[in-house]
Amino acid sequence: GGKVAINTTIINFNKEKMQITWATREILPNENVSFFYTFDEGKHKVWKPCTTYLLDQDYNSGCLFKTEGPTLAISIRSSNGSEELFSKIFKTDFYIKPSPPENVTFFWEEDTVTVSCNKPKRNALCLTLELQYKSKFDKEWQSRTSKCCSVGEQGFDPRKCYSFRVRLWRLSRHCNVENYSSDWEAETFWMNGTLLDSCDDDVTPQSKTVIVLSCSQAVLLMMLILLILLCKWQRVQTSVLPAIPDPKYSFADLFNDHNGNLQEWLVKNDHVVLQTKLEYEEPESITEAESQQEDGKNSDKQGPLEKIFTFSGAAENNDGKAAEIACLVPASNTTAPFGGFHILMNDDTYVML
């Protein structure tokens, strides 16, 4: 009714409170409207002004008031209430929005769960109970409905955690003009018949301990493998690139006192047979030196003895100069042992290390 066609939304909250909203901003963008209502059914109606408005950008867009009867008449008027813009009469029981289910219980039997709630005192036949559930591996809710006030479902995996929620629907064909449902009851979490605070709680402390131990074992195994590879690499490096001995450790006085001058060192160490032992000598080098010594012995049996630098003639004649000359100018085809090797020396030989 009225002069202007205004879209309205009517909700009767479980026969306790009415909420009427309207859309006038598109029709009357610059006018703020007022609202009146009455539950009287006779000719002499007493209209009550709205005391609790719902606002939309400071404009009145709805009204809340107590449900007082089965028949309601509403009137939307101009801001001062003098001109009626829209009116309507309807039955409040056709716009009922049920309250959330009360005292919800879950009964588990193996892989089957049955959910029930308290049965409303009035109009229970107009209500259906909806159950929705999903596991933490599901993206969408699974839904089941049944007559008020019990619904069951089977096929639940005892190893999974599930989220459950329930609500009541008001049947629109026989009881309601609008298909209204209640708000969702608080969501609950279950696993194999056990109530949990959340589905994150299904990770038990024991499983966390197993994860920590597994990670620790993996780290220790990696460290052991690295140590083995390091040892292998050192052995390979030693075999491919053997250490080269430093001669300064075997002939410290030759290099420190005589700057590598072999003749000067030989003069100072007169009548001394050179013997060297290399500190960093490899087993292959020792074997090679021993084989050379054996070859030297065999050659001693077959030929004349090798000469070693001696200065006996100079010593018998007490001729120092002759001894010095003998050191500096060795005799022709003379062999001198040095560091395990035999050096063939002639008149032009001069050794400086």
PDB file of all heavy atoms in Angstrom, residues 77-112:
ATOM      1  N   ARG A  77       6.449   6.996   6.786  1.00  0.00           N
ATOM      2  CA  ARG A  77       5.950   8.336   6.519  1.00  0.00           C
ATOM      3  C   ARG A  77       7.109   9.312   6.304  1.00  0.00           C
ATOM      4  O   ARG A  77       8.276   8.964   6.449  1.00  0.00           O
ATOM      5  CB  ARG A  77       5.071   8.814   7.680  1.00  0.00           C
ATOM      6  CG  ARG A  77       3.910   7.866   8.007  1.00  0.00           C
ATOM      7  CD  ARG A  77       3.127   8.345   9.201  1.00  0.00           C
ATOM      8  NE  ARG A  77       2.077   7.374   9.589  1.00  0.00           N
ATOM      9  CZ  ARG A  77       1.229   7.546  10.587  1.00  0.00           C
ATOM     10  NH1 ARG A  77       1.291   8.685  11.322  1.00  0.00           N
ATOM     11  NH2 ARG A  77       0.333   6.626  10.856  1.00  0.00           N
ATOM     12  N   SER A  78       6.738  10.529   5.969  1.00  0.00           N
ATOM     13  CA  SER A  78       7.745  11.578   5.807  1.00  0.00           C
ATOM     14  C   SER A  78       8.415  11.863   7.140  1.00  0.00           C
ATOM     15  O   SER A  78       7.988  11.368   8.189  1.00  0.00           O
ATOM     16  CB  SER A  78       7.095  12.850   5.251  1.00  0.00           C
ATOM     17  OG  SER A  78       6.076  13.307   6.134  1.00  0.00           O
ATOM     18  N   SER A  79       9.434  12.676   7.116  1.00  0.00           N
ATOM     19  CA  SER A  79      10.240  12.897   8.317  1.00  0.00           C
ATOM     20  C   SER A  79       9.416  13.469   9.466  1.00  0.00           C
ATOM     21  O   SER A  79       9.639  13.127  10.634  1.00  0.00           O
ATOM     22  CB  SER A  79      11.413  13.826   8.001  1.00  0.00           C
ATOM     23  OG  SER A  79      10.926  15.057   7.482  1.00  0.00           O
ATOM     24  N   ASN A  80       8.440  14.340   9.182  1.00  0.00           N
ATOM     25  CA  ASN A  80       7.620  14.915  10.257  1.00  0.00           C
ATOM     26  C   ASN A  80       6.390  14.079  10.571  1.00  0.00           C
ATOM     27  O   ASN A  80       5.626  14.403  11.478  1.00  0.00           O
ATOM     28  CB  ASN A  80       7.225  16.345   9.904  1.00  0.00           C
ATOM     29  CG  ASN A  80       6.475  16.430   8.585  1.00  0.00           C
ATOM     30  OD1 ASN A  80       6.054  15.419   8.023  1.00  0.00           O
ATOM     31  ND2 ASN A  80       6.317  17.657   8.094  1.00  0.00           N
ATOM     32  N   GLY A  81       6.186  12.962   9.820  1.00  0.00           N
ATOM     33  CA  GLY A  81       5.075  12.052  10.086  1.00  0.00           C
ATOM     34  C   GLY A  81       3.750  12.484   9.531  1.00  0.00           C
ATOM     35  O   GLY A  81       2.729  11.809   9.756  1.00  0.00           O
ATOM     36  N   SER A  82       3.707  13.568   8.774  1.00  0.00           N
ATOM     37  CA  SER A  82       2.433  14.078   8.270  1.00  0.00           C
ATOM     38  C   SER A  82       1.962  13.358   7.011  1.00  0.00           C
ATOM     39  O   SER A  82       0.759  13.237   6.770  1.00  0.00           O
ATOM     40  CB  SER A  82       2.553  15.582   7.983  1.00  0.00           C
ATOM     41  OG  SER A  82       3.562  15.809   7.017  1.00  0.00           O
ATOM     42  N   GLU A  83       2.862  12.859   6.197  1.00  0.00           N
ATOM     43  CA  GLU A  83       2.492  12.238   4.920  1.00  0.00           C
ATOM     44  C   GLU A  83       2.913  10.769   4.933  1.00  0.00           C
ATOM     45  O   GLU A  83       4.079  10.440   5.213  1.00  0.00           O
ATOM     46  CB  GLU A  83       3.162  12.974   3.763  1.00  0.00           C
ATOM     47  CG  GLU A  83       2.809  12.378   2.400  1.00  0.00           C
ATOM     48  CD  GLU A  83       3.544  13.086   1.270  1.00  0.00           C
ATOM     49  OE1 GLU A  83       4.333  14.023   1.567  1.00  0.00           O
ATOM     50  OE2 GLU A  83       3.339  12.703   0.114  1.00  0.00           O
ATOM     51  N   GLU A  84       1.979   9.874   4.618  1.00  0.00           N
ATOM     52  CA  GLU A  84       2.294   8.443   4.567  1.00  0.00           C
ATOM     53  C   GLU A  84       2.822   8.082   3.178  1.00  0.00           C
ATOM     54  O   GLU A  84       2.196   8.374   2.158  1.00  0.00           O
ATOM     55  CB  GLU A  84       1.055   7.617   4.890  1.00  0.00           C
ATOM     56  CG  GLU A  84       1.330   6.120   4.949  1.00  0.00           C
ATOM     57  CD  GLU A  84       0.117   5.310   5.359  1.00  0.00           C
ATOM     58  OE1 GLU A  84      -0.811   5.184   4.512  1.00  0.00           O
ATOM     59  OE2 GLU A  84       0.076   4.845   6.520  1.00  0.00           O
ATOM     60  N   LEU A  85       3.986   7.440   3.144  1.00  0.00           N
ATOM     61  CA  LEU A  85       4.619   7.036   1.893  1.00  0.00           C
ATOM     62  C   LEU A  85       4.385   5.568   1.572  1.00  0.00           C
ATOM     63  O   LEU A  85       4.331   5.183   0.392  1.00  0.00           O
ATOM     64  CB  LEU A  85       6.129   7.298   1.966  1.00  0.00           C
ATOM     65  CG  LEU A  85       6.554   8.741   2.283  1.00  0.00           C
ATOM     66  CD1 LEU A  85       8.058   8.825   2.414  1.00  0.00           C
ATOM     67  CD2 LEU A  85       6.053   9.685   1.197  1.00  0.00           C
ATOM     68  N   PHE A  86       4.244   4.722   2.607  1.00  0.00           N
ATOM     69  CA  PHE A  86       4.097   3.287   2.378  1.00  0.00           C
ATOM     70  C   PHE A  86       3.433   2.666   3.598  1.00  0.00           C
ATOM     71  O   PHE A  86       3.685   3.093   4.736  1.00  0.00           O
ATOM     72  CB  PHE A  86       5.462   2.644   2.143  1.00  0.00           C
ATOM     73  CG  PHE A  86       5.432   1.151   1.968  1.00  0.00           C
ATOM     74  CD1 PHE A  86       5.148   0.585   0.742  1.00  0.00           C
ATOM     75  CD2 PHE A  86       5.700   0.306   3.045  1.00  0.00           C
ATOM     76  CE1 PHE A  86       5.119  -0.786   0.583  1.00  0.00           C
ATOM     77  CE2 PHE A  86       5.685  -1.071   2.894  1.00  0.00           C
ATOM     78  CZ  PHE A  86       5.386  -1.628   1.663  1.00  0.00           C
ATOM     79  N   SER A  87       2.602   1.629   3.376  1.00  0.00           N
ATOM     80  CA  SER A  87       1.956   0.905   4.479  1.00  0.00           C
ATOM     81  C   SER A  87       1.773  -0.558   4.089  1.00  0.00           C
ATOM     82  O   SER A  87       1.717  -0.906   2.895  1.00  0.00           O
ATOM     83  CB  SER A  87       0.600   1.535   4.821  1.00  0.00           C
ATOM     84  OG  SER A  87      -0.288   1.411   3.703  1.00  0.00           O
ATOM     85  N   LYS A  88       1.706  -1.431   5.159  1.00  0.00           N
ATOM     86  CA  LYS A  88       1.562  -2.867   4.898  1.00  0.00           C
ATOM     87  C   LYS A  88       1.039  -3.551   6.147  1.00  0.00           C
ATOM     88  O   LYS A  88       1.380  -3.161   7.273  1.00  0.00           O
ATOM     89  CB  LYS A  88       2.907  -3.472   4.487  1.00  0.00           C
ATOM     90  CG  LYS A  88       2.838  -4.942   4.099  1.00  0.00           C
ATOM     91  CD  LYS A  88       4.193  -5.438   3.613  1.00  0.00           C
ATOM     92  CE  LYS A  88       4.102  -6.888   3.173  1.00  0.00           C
ATOM     93  NZ  LYS A  88       5.398  -7.389   2.672  1.00  0.00           N
ATOM     94  N   ILE A  89       0.188  -4.630   5.932  1.00  0.00           N
ATOM     95  CA  ILE A  89      -0.318  -5.441   7.037  1.00  0.00           C
ATOM     96  C   ILE A  89       0.053  -6.896   6.755  1.00  0.00           C
ATOM     97  O   ILE A  89      -0.118  -7.385   5.631  1.00  0.00           O
ATOM     98  CB  ILE A  89      -1.851  -5.302   7.171  1.00  0.00           C
ATOM     99  CG1 ILE A  89      -2.231  -3.844   7.434  1.00  0.00           C
ATOM    100  CG2 ILE A  89      -2.373  -6.194   8.294  1.00  0.00           C
ATOM    101  CD1 ILE A  89      -3.729  -3.613   7.449  1.00  0.00           C
ATOM    102  N   PHE A  90       0.540  -7.660   7.771  1.00  0.00           N
ATOM    103  CA  PHE A  90       0.960  -9.042   7.545  1.00  0.00           C
ATOM    104  C   PHE A  90       0.907  -9.817   8.857  1.00  0.00           C
ATOM    105  O   PHE A  90       0.804  -9.240   9.944  1.00  0.00           O
ATOM    106  CB  PHE A  90       2.371  -9.090   6.963  1.00  0.00           C
ATOM    107  CG  PHE A  90       3.388  -8.329   7.767  1.00  0.00           C
ATOM    108  CD1 PHE A  90       4.076  -8.926   8.813  1.00  0.00           C
ATOM    109  CD2 PHE A  90       3.640  -6.984   7.501  1.00  0.00           C
ATOM    110  CE1 PHE A  90       4.991  -8.221   9.559  1.00  0.00           C
ATOM    111  CE2 PHE A  90       4.559  -6.277   8.246  1.00  0.00           C
ATOM    112  CZ  PHE A  90       5.250  -6.899   9.278  1.00  0.00           C
ATOM    113  N   LYS A  91       0.981 -11.159   8.732  1.00  0.00           N
ATOM    114  CA  LYS A  91       1.020 -12.051   9.870  1.00  0.00           C
ATOM    115  C   LYS A  91       2.476 -12.243  10.312  1.00  0.00           C
ATOM    116  O   LYS A  91       3.333 -12.633   9.513  1.00  0.00           O
ATOM    117  CB  LYS A  91       0.421 -13.416   9.502  1.00  0.00           C
ATOM    118  CG  LYS A  91      -1.058 -13.394   9.186  1.00  0.00           C
ATOM    119  CD  LYS A  91      -1.888 -13.046  10.428  1.00  0.00           C
ATOM    120  CE  LYS A  91      -3.386 -13.128  10.128  1.00  0.00           C
ATOM    121  NZ  LYS A  91      -4.200 -12.775  11.331  1.00  0.00           N
ATOM    122  N   THR A  92       2.728 -11.972  11.550  1.00  0.00           N
ATOM    123  CA  THR A  92       4.120 -12.047  12.057  1.00  0.00           C
ATOM    124  C   THR A  92       4.656 -13.477  12.085  1.00  0.00           C
ATOM    125  O   THR A  92       5.875 -13.685  11.976  1.00  0.00           O
ATOM    126  CB  THR A  92       4.191 -11.455  13.478  1.00  0.00           C
ATOM    127  OG1 THR A  92       3.291 -12.166  14.345  1.00  0.00           O
ATOM    128  CG2 THR A  92       3.825  -9.975  13.450  1.00  0.00           C
ATOM    129  N   ASP A  93       3.764 -14.484  12.207  1.00  0.00           N
ATOM    130  CA  ASP A  93       4.238 -15.869  12.293  1.00  0.00           C
ATOM    131  C   ASP A  93       4.814 -16.376  10.971  1.00  0.00           C
ATOM    132  O   ASP A  93       5.466 -17.424  10.942  1.00  0.00           O
ATOM    133  CB  ASP A  93       3.093 -16.793  12.719  1.00  0.00           C
ATOM    134  CG  ASP A  93       2.724 -16.607  14.183  1.00  0.00           C
ATOM    135  OD1 ASP A  93       3.496 -15.922  14.889  1.00  0.00           O
ATOM    136  OD2 ASP A  93       1.679 -17.133  14.621  1.00  0.00           O
ATOM    137  N   PHE A  94       4.623 -15.669   9.876  1.00  0.00           N
ATOM    138  CA  PHE A  94       5.139 -16.087   8.579  1.00  0.00           C
ATOM    139  C   PHE A  94       6.555 -15.547   8.319  1.00  0.00           C
ATOM    140  O   PHE A  94       7.116 -15.782   7.250  1.00  0.00           O
ATOM    141  CB  PHE A  94       4.205 -15.617   7.454  1.00  0.00           C
ATOM    142  CG  PHE A  94       2.901 -16.355   7.412  1.00  0.00           C
ATOM    143  CD1 PHE A  94       1.793 -15.774   6.817  1.00  0.00           C
ATOM    144  CD2 PHE A  94       2.789 -17.625   7.964  1.00  0.00           C
ATOM    145  CE1 PHE A  94       0.581 -16.463   6.779  1.00  0.00           C
ATOM    146  CE2 PHE A  94       1.577 -18.309   7.932  1.00  0.00           C
ATOM    147  CZ  PHE A  94       0.471 -17.740   7.340  1.00  0.00           C
ATOM    148  N   TYR A  95       7.098 -14.834   9.286  1.00  0.00           N
ATOM    149  CA  TYR A  95       8.440 -14.234   9.105  1.00  0.00           C
ATOM    150  C   TYR A  95       9.362 -14.584  10.284  1.00  0.00           C
ATOM    151  O   TYR A  95      10.210 -13.793  10.664  1.00  0.00           O
ATOM    152  CB  TYR A  95       8.320 -12.716   8.968  1.00  0.00           C
ATOM    153  CG  TYR A  95       7.528 -12.285   7.760  1.00  0.00           C
ATOM    154  CD1 TYR A  95       6.145 -12.150   7.846  1.00  0.00           C
ATOM    155  CD2 TYR A  95       8.149 -12.036   6.551  1.00  0.00           C
ATOM    156  CE1 TYR A  95       5.399 -11.757   6.748  1.00  0.00           C
ATOM    157  CE2 TYR A  95       7.412 -11.635   5.444  1.00  0.00           C
ATOM    158  CZ  TYR A  95       6.045 -11.515   5.537  1.00  0.00           C
ATOM    159  OH  TYR A  95       5.315 -11.141   4.430  1.00  0.00           O
ATOM    160  N   ILE A  96       9.161 -15.766  10.824  1.00  0.00           N
ATOM    161  CA  ILE A  96       9.917 -16.149  12.023  1.00  0.00           C
ATOM    162  C   ILE A  96      11.319 -16.613  11.637  1.00  0.00           C
ATOM    163  O   ILE A  96      11.497 -17.457  10.744  1.00  0.00           O
ATOM    164  CB  ILE A  96       9.190 -17.262  12.799  1.00  0.00           C
ATOM    165  CG1 ILE A  96       7.884 -16.714  13.378  1.00  0.00           C
ATOM    166  CG2 ILE A  96      10.070 -17.804  13.924  1.00  0.00           C
ATOM    167  CD1 ILE A  96       7.064 -17.764  14.109  1.00  0.00           C
ATOM    168  N   LYS A  97      12.280 -16.052  12.333  1.00  0.00           N
ATOM    169  CA  LYS A  97      13.679 -16.514  12.249  1.00  0.00           C
ATOM    170  C   LYS A  97      13.976 -17.245  13.558  1.00  0.00           C
ATOM    171  O   LYS A  97      13.974 -16.619  14.623  1.00  0.00           O
ATOM    172  CB  LYS A  97      14.642 -15.344  12.073  1.00  0.00           C
ATOM    173  CG  LYS A  97      16.114 -15.747  12.038  1.00  0.00           C
ATOM    174  CD  LYS A  97      16.999 -14.512  11.879  1.00  0.00           C
ATOM    175  CE  LYS A  97      18.480 -14.870  11.963  1.00  0.00           C
ATOM    176  NZ  LYS A  97      18.929 -15.677  10.812  1.00  0.00           N
ATOM    177  N   PRO A  98      14.203 -18.571  13.527  1.00  0.00           N
ATOM    178  CA  PRO A  98      14.374 -19.320  14.776  1.00  0.00           C
ATOM    179  C   PRO A  98      15.667 -18.958  15.494  1.00  0.00           C
ATOM    180  O   PRO A  98      16.632 -18.482  14.892  1.00  0.00           O
ATOM    181  CB  PRO A  98      14.380 -20.784  14.315  1.00  0.00           C
ATOM    182  CG  PRO A  98      14.813 -20.728  12.899  1.00  0.00           C
ATOM    183  CD  PRO A  98      14.313 -19.436  12.341  1.00  0.00           C
ATOM    184  N   SER A  99      15.679 -19.233  16.773  1.00  0.00           N
ATOM    185  CA  SER A  99      16.897 -19.041  17.579  1.00  0.00           C
ATOM    186  C   SER A  99      17.858 -20.212  17.340  1.00  0.00           C
ATOM    187  O   SER A  99      17.438 -21.287  16.889  1.00  0.00           O
ATOM    188  CB  SER A  99      16.540 -18.961  19.067  1.00  0.00           C
ATOM    189  OG  SER A  99      15.703 -17.854  19.313  1.00  0.00           O
ATOM    190  N   PRO A 100      19.146 -20.053  17.630  1.00  0.00           N
ATOM    191  CA  PRO A 100      20.094 -21.165  17.476  1.00  0.00           C
ATOM    192  C   PRO A 100      19.691 -22.351  18.349  1.00  0.00           C
ATOM    193  O   PRO A 100      19.049 -22.178  19.391  1.00  0.00           O
ATOM    194  CB  PRO A 100      21.422 -20.559  17.930  1.00  0.00           C
ATOM    195  CG  PRO A 100      21.259 -19.093  17.756  1.00  0.00           C
ATOM    196  CD  PRO A 100      19.813 -18.800  18.047  1.00  0.00           C
ATOM    197  N   PRO A 101      20.011 -23.568  17.947  1.00  0.00           N
ATOM    198  CA  PRO A 101      19.657 -24.754  18.742  1.00  0.00           C
ATOM    199  C   PRO A 101      20.316 -24.706  20.119  1.00  0.00           C
ATOM    200  O   PRO A 101      21.442 -24.224  20.274  1.00  0.00           O
ATOM    201  CB  PRO A 101      20.182 -25.922  17.903  1.00  0.00           C
ATOM    202  CG  PRO A 101      21.188 -25.314  16.983  1.00  0.00           C
ATOM    203  CD  PRO A 101      20.764 -23.918  16.731  1.00  0.00           C
ATOM    204  N   GLU A 102      19.598 -25.211  21.100  1.00  0.00           N
ATOM    205  CA  GLU A 102      20.078 -25.187  22.481  1.00  0.00           C
ATOM    206  C   GLU A 102      20.446 -26.597  22.949  1.00  0.00           C
ATOM    207  O   GLU A 102      19.844 -27.581  22.531  1.00  0.00           O
ATOM    208  CB  GLU A 102      19.004 -24.596  23.405  1.00  0.00           C
ATOM    209  CG  GLU A 102      18.641 -23.162  23.081  1.00  0.00           C
ATOM    210  CD  GLU A 102      17.545 -22.638  23.987  1.00  0.00           C
ATOM    211  OE1 GLU A 102      17.000 -23.446  24.787  1.00  0.00           O
ATOM    212  OE2 GLU A 102      17.216 -21.438  23.908  1.00  0.00           O
ATOM    213  N   ASN A 103      21.443 -26.653  23.833  1.00  0.00           N
ATOM    214  CA  ASN A 103      21.883 -27.908  24.446  1.00  0.00           C
ATOM    215  C   ASN A 103      22.202 -28.977  23.384  1.00  0.00           C
ATOM    216  O   ASN A 103      21.640 -30.080  23.371  1.00  0.00           O
ATOM    217  CB  ASN A 103      20.809 -28.428  25.416  1.00  0.00           C
ATOM    218  CG  ASN A 103      21.347 -29.539  26.307  1.00  0.00           C
ATOM    219  OD1 ASN A 103      22.551 -29.665  26.516  1.00  0.00           O
ATOM    220  ND2 ASN A 103      20.445 -30.368  26.831  1.00  0.00           N
ATOM    221  N   VAL A 104      23.117 -28.651  22.494  1.00  0.00           N
ATOM    222  CA  VAL A 104      23.512 -29.562  21.415  1.00  0.00           C
ATOM    223  C   VAL A 104      24.407 -30.653  21.987  1.00  0.00           C
ATOM    224  O   VAL A 104      25.373 -30.376  22.710  1.00  0.00           O
ATOM    225  CB  VAL A 104      24.235 -28.797  20.298  1.00  0.00           C
ATOM    226  CG1 VAL A 104      24.669 -29.751  19.185  1.00  0.00           C
ATOM    227  CG2 VAL A 104      23.342 -27.700  19.749  1.00  0.00           C
ATOM    228  N   THR A 105      24.109 -31.903  21.656  1.00  0.00           N
ATOM    229  CA  THR A 105      24.900 -33.053  22.131  1.00  0.00           C
ATOM    230  C   THR A 105      25.344 -33.887  20.942  1.00  0.00           C
ATOM    231  O   THR A 105      24.655 -33.964  19.915  1.00  0.00           O
ATOM    232  CB  THR A 105      24.083 -33.923  23.093  1.00  0.00           C
ATOM    233  OG1 THR A 105      22.900 -34.380  22.434  1.00  0.00           O
ATOM    234  CG2 THR A 105      23.702 -33.137  24.341  1.00  0.00           C
ATOM    235  N   PHE A 106      26.516 -34.539  21.104  1.00  0.00           N
ATOM    236  CA  PHE A 106      27.086 -35.412  20.074  1.00  0.00           C
ATOM    237  C   PHE A 106      27.210 -36.819  20.655  1.00  0.00           C
ATOM    238  O   PHE A 106      27.764 -37.005  21.752  1.00  0.00           O
ATOM    239  CB  PHE A 106      28.463 -34.911  19.641  1.00  0.00           C
ATOM    240  CG  PHE A 106      28.424 -33.632  18.855  1.00  0.00           C
ATOM    241  CD1 PHE A 106      28.276 -32.408  19.499  1.00  0.00           C
ATOM    242  CD2 PHE A 106      28.539 -33.642  17.476  1.00  0.00           C
ATOM    243  CE1 PHE A 106      28.233 -31.228  18.787  1.00  0.00           C
ATOM    244  CE2 PHE A 106      28.502 -32.461  16.752  1.00  0.00           C
ATOM    245  CZ  PHE A 106      28.354 -31.251  17.409  1.00  0.00           C
ATOM    246  N   PHE A 107      26.697 -37.790  19.907  1.00  0.00           N
ATOM    247  CA  PHE A 107      26.810 -39.184  20.324  1.00  0.00           C
ATOM    248  C   PHE A 107      27.586 -39.947  19.256  1.00  0.00           C
ATOM    249  O   PHE A 107      27.194 -39.980  18.086  1.00  0.00           O
ATOM    250  CB  PHE A 107      25.422 -39.811  20.517  1.00  0.00           C
ATOM    251  CG  PHE A 107      25.468 -41.277  20.853  1.00  0.00           C
ATOM    252  CD1 PHE A 107      25.867 -41.701  22.102  1.00  0.00           C
ATOM    253  CD2 PHE A 107      25.109 -42.224  19.893  1.00  0.00           C
ATOM    254  CE1 PHE A 107      25.913 -43.054  22.404  1.00  0.00           C
ATOM    255  CE2 PHE A 107      25.159 -43.575  20.190  1.00  0.00           C
ATOM    256  CZ  PHE A 107      25.561 -43.990  21.448  1.00  0.00           C
ATOM    257  N   TRP A 108      28.718 -40.547  19.671  1.00  0.00           N
ATOM    258  CA  TRP A 108      29.599 -41.260  18.741  1.00  0.00           C
ATOM    259  C   TRP A 108      29.460 -42.762  18.957  1.00  0.00           C
ATOM    260  O   TRP A 108      29.452 -43.247  20.086  1.00  0.00           O
ATOM    261  CB  TRP A 108      31.056 -40.855  18.962  1.00  0.00           C
ATOM    262  CG  TRP A 108      31.355 -39.456  18.500  1.00  0.00           C
ATOM    263  CD1 TRP A 108      31.063 -38.292  19.137  1.00  0.00           C
ATOM    264  CD2 TRP A 108      32.010 -39.091  17.291  1.00  0.00           C
ATOM    265  NE1 TRP A 108      31.496 -37.222  18.419  1.00  0.00           N
ATOM    266  CE2 TRP A 108      32.090 -37.684  17.270  1.00  0.00           C
ATOM    267  CE3 TRP A 108      32.553 -39.803  16.220  1.00  0.00           C
ATOM    268  CZ2 TRP A 108      32.682 -36.983  16.228  1.00  0.00           C
ATOM    269  CZ3 TRP A 108      33.147 -39.110  15.180  1.00  0.00           C
ATOM    270  CH2 TRP A 108      33.202 -37.713  15.172  1.00  0.00           C
ATOM    271  N   GLU A 109      29.379 -43.485  17.843  1.00  0.00           N
ATOM    272  CA  GLU A 109      29.384 -44.939  17.864  1.00  0.00           C
ATOM    273  C   GLU A 109      30.157 -45.418  16.631  1.00  0.00           C
ATOM    274  O   GLU A 109      29.643 -45.378  15.510  1.00  0.00           O
ATOM    275  CB  GLU A 109      27.971 -45.511  17.860  1.00  0.00           C
ATOM    276  CG  GLU A 109      27.932 -47.025  18.025  1.00  0.00           C
ATOM    277  CD  GLU A 109      26.516 -47.555  18.118  1.00  0.00           C
ATOM    278  OE1 GLU A 109      25.574 -46.740  17.998  1.00  0.00           O
ATOM    279  OE2 GLU A 109      26.341 -48.759  18.303  1.00  0.00           O
ATOM    280  N   GLU A 110      31.423 -45.821  16.873  1.00  0.00           N
ATOM    281  CA  GLU A 110      32.338 -46.208  15.799  1.00  0.00           C
ATOM    282  C   GLU A 110      32.470 -45.056  14.801  1.00  0.00           C
ATOM    283  O   GLU A 110      32.932 -43.985  15.175  1.00  0.00           O
ATOM    284  CB  GLU A 110      31.872 -47.513  15.147  1.00  0.00           C
ATOM    285  CG  GLU A 110      31.914 -48.699  16.100  1.00  0.00           C
ATOM    286  CD  GLU A 110      31.475 -49.979  15.448  1.00  0.00           C
ATOM    287  OE1 GLU A 110      31.022 -49.935  14.279  1.00  0.00           O
ATOM    288  OE2 GLU A 110      31.596 -51.047  16.097  1.00  0.00           O
ATOM    289  N   ASP A 111      32.049 -45.253  13.531  1.00  0.00           N
ATOM    290  CA  ASP A 111      32.213 -44.191  12.528  1.00  0.00           C
ATOM    291  C   ASP A 111      30.945 -43.376  12.324  1.00  0.00           C
ATOM    292  O   ASP A 111      30.830 -42.616  11.362  1.00  0.00           O
ATOM    293  CB  ASP A 111      32.651 -44.799  11.188  1.00  0.00           C
ATOM    294  CG  ASP A 111      31.568 -45.668  10.571  1.00  0.00           C
ATOM    295  OD1 ASP A 111      30.692 -46.131  11.329  1.00  0.00           O
ATOM    296  OD2 ASP A 111      31.593 -45.882   9.341  1.00  0.00           O
ATOM    297  N   THR A 112      29.975 -43.493  13.253  1.00  0.00           N
ATOM    298  CA  THR A 112      28.689 -42.788  13.129  1.00  0.00           C
ATOM    299  C   THR A 112      28.531 -41.788  14.266  1.00  0.00           C
ATOM    300  O   THR A 112      28.860 -42.082  15.412  1.00  0.00           O
ATOM    301  CB  THR A 112      27.524 -43.793  13.165  1.00  0.00           C
ATOM    302  OG1 THR A 112      27.698 -44.750  12.128  1.00  0.00           O
ATOM    303  CG2 THR A 112      26.197 -43.075  12.981  1.00  0.00           C
TER     304      THR A 112
END
